[in-house]
């Protein structure tokens, strides 16, 4: 589905939050690689989709009312067969409905289990004085504890995204630390350029959060994404 169609549906439903599936569809449309993610409305469908995608898979709660999915017991990773998918489906539904009794739950998203990589984050927020800015940082504990992130005002040029990645304190982790392979920094620069371009051309987006992105020796994959639309 095209970006405009997804935005129009959300607008019609008077929603400001896009689901993970919608967010990833938009990002894929603009050329950002995301894990293959599809919606299952029932347990049976979750198994069917898992078999189409191929094990191992990840199941996640899909609800516009639940944005922090793991806090709600809503993420089960590395599911290796039908039994594990069925059990995960039940557990996810139980804990999500227990924690959010009034949430409107559309089902679960079924997605390919991404191979491990260096966790990074990318996103966009609106700054009160500068307007849309894009963000880059290391994911996981580093970003939470050390706030190791960099920002640039949209639109950016190549030299800006080069600097954004250069100025991260934990940059060594991207360059191949302690025998790990270096990540594909050129690919990450390209993702930031695509993100800036999209934000610059598309009004009505309040926030984009890709957390985490797994960065690899070649390429990268967005594993979780959230998009919030402006209220107007
Ligand atoms: P939350 O809404 O809590 O942020 P996430 O979708 O980010 O939920 O999932 C929580 C964690 O599970 C991620 O940080 C990542 O480590 C892991 N994870 C999620 N999706 C995948 C996936 N497709 N492949 C591998 N790991 C995943
Ligand atoms: Mg996340």
């Amino acid at each position: 589905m095209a970006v405009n169609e997804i935005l129009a549906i959300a607008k019609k439903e008077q929603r400001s939050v896009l689901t993970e599936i919608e967010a990833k569809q938009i990002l894929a449309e603009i050329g950002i690689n995301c894990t293959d993610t599809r919606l299952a409305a029932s347990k049976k469908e979750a198994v069917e989709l898992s078999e189409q995608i191929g094990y191992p898979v990840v199941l996640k709660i899909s609800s516009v009312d639940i944005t922090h999915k793991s806090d709600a017991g809503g993420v089960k990773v590395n599911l290796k067969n039908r039994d594990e998918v069925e059990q995960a489906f039940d557990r996810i539904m139980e804990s999500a409905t227990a924690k959010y009794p009034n949430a409107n739950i559309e089902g679960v998203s079924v997605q390919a289990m991404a191979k491990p990589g260096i966790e990074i984050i990318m996103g966009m927020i609106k700054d009160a004085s500068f307007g849309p800015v894009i963000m880059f940082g290391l994911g996981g504990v580093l970003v939470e504890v050390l706030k190791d992130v960099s920002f640039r005002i949209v639109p950016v040029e190549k030299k800006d995204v080069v600097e954004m990645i250069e100025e991260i304190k934990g940059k060594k982790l991207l360059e191949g630390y302690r025998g790990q392979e270096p990540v594909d920094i050129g690919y990450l620069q390209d993702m930031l350029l695509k993100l800036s371009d999209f934000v610059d051309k598309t009004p009505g987006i309040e926030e984009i959060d890709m957390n985490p992105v797994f960065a690899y020796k070649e390429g990268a994959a967005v594993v979780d994404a959230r998009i919030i639309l402006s209220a107007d």
Side-chain angles (χ1 to χ4, degrees), residues 9-230:
I9 290 170
K11 201 159 197 162
K12 197 168 149 224
E13 293 174 1
Q14 298 185 307
R15 277 194 282 133
S16 61
V17 181
L18 300 187
T19 64
E20 180 189 355
I21 294 175
E22 291 169 326
K24 283 178 169 174
Q25 272 173 347
I26 287 181
L27 294 170
E29 255 326 286
I30 62 166
I32 290 181
N33 182 45
C34 300
T35 47
D36 184 4
T37 303
R38 307 182 209 169
L39 180 69
S42 65
K43 199 183 337 185
K44 183 166 168 279
E45 224 182 320
V47 170
E48 280 165 11
L49 289 177
S50 301
E51 264 145 37
Q52 278 171 28
I53 290 170
Y55 297 107
V57 294
V58 177
L59 256 56
K60 298 183 195 174
I61 191 73
S62 184
S63 165
V64 287
D65 301 316
I66 305 176
T67 46
H68 297 287
K69 299 176 290 295
S70 17
D71 291 351
V75 179
K76 301 283 176 212
V77 301
N78 202 24
L79 308 170
K80 293 185 286 297
N81 52 51
R82 179 193 188 111
D83 274 1
E84 290 186 8
V85 166
E86 287 179 345
Q87 268 187 31
F89 184 93
D90 289 338
R91 294 238 180 89
I92 287 173
M93 287 303 172
E94 272 162 35
S95 39
T97 46
K99 187 142 191 205
Y100 294 90
N102 300 319
N104 182 4
I105 294 172
E106 355 166 55
V108 297
S109 74
V110 182
Q111 52 196 273
M113 176 83 191
K115 66 175 161 81
I118 301 280
E119 274 191 42
I120 60 169
I121 59 163
M122 283 187 194
M124 181 278 273
I125 52 169
K126 275 194 179 156
D127 181 89
S129 6
F130 301 119
V133 296
I134 57 167
M135 179 192 63
F136 174 83
L138 287 170
V141 177
L142 281 169
V143 70
E144 278 155 31
V145 180
L146 304 176
K147 304 268 178 273
D148 192 10
V149 287
S150 57
F151 296 92
R152 285 294 181 283
I153 300 170
V154 167
V156 298
E157 291 174 19
K158 176 75 190 256
K159 71 169 181 28
D160 302 311
V161 299
V162 169
E163 283 170 13
M164 277 180 89
I165 298 177
E166 275 293 309
E167 67 193 41
I168 290 292
K169 294 189 211 81
K171 194 190 61 171
K172 273 200 175 135
L173 287 170
L174 303 175
E175 293 170 336
Y177 189 61
R178 297 225 165 145
Q180 273 194 310
E181 280 176 329
V183 308
D184 194 344
I185 288 180
Y187 192 90
L188 301 179
Q189 292 167 350
D190 202 44
M191 284 172 78
L192 289 168
L193 286 170
K194 285 173 177 166
L195 179 65
S196 165
D197 208 42
F198 169 64
V199 166
D200 195 36
K201 284 199 211 118
T202 316
I205 298 197
E206 196 60 27
E207 198 179 313
I208 299 177
D209 189 22
M210 296 179 238
N211 182 7
V213 177
F214 288 177
Y216 302 121
K217 184 175 168 236
E218 272 176 50
V222 177
V223 152
D224 183 28
R226 198 157 65 105
I227 296 181
I228 298 177
L229 307 178
S230 314

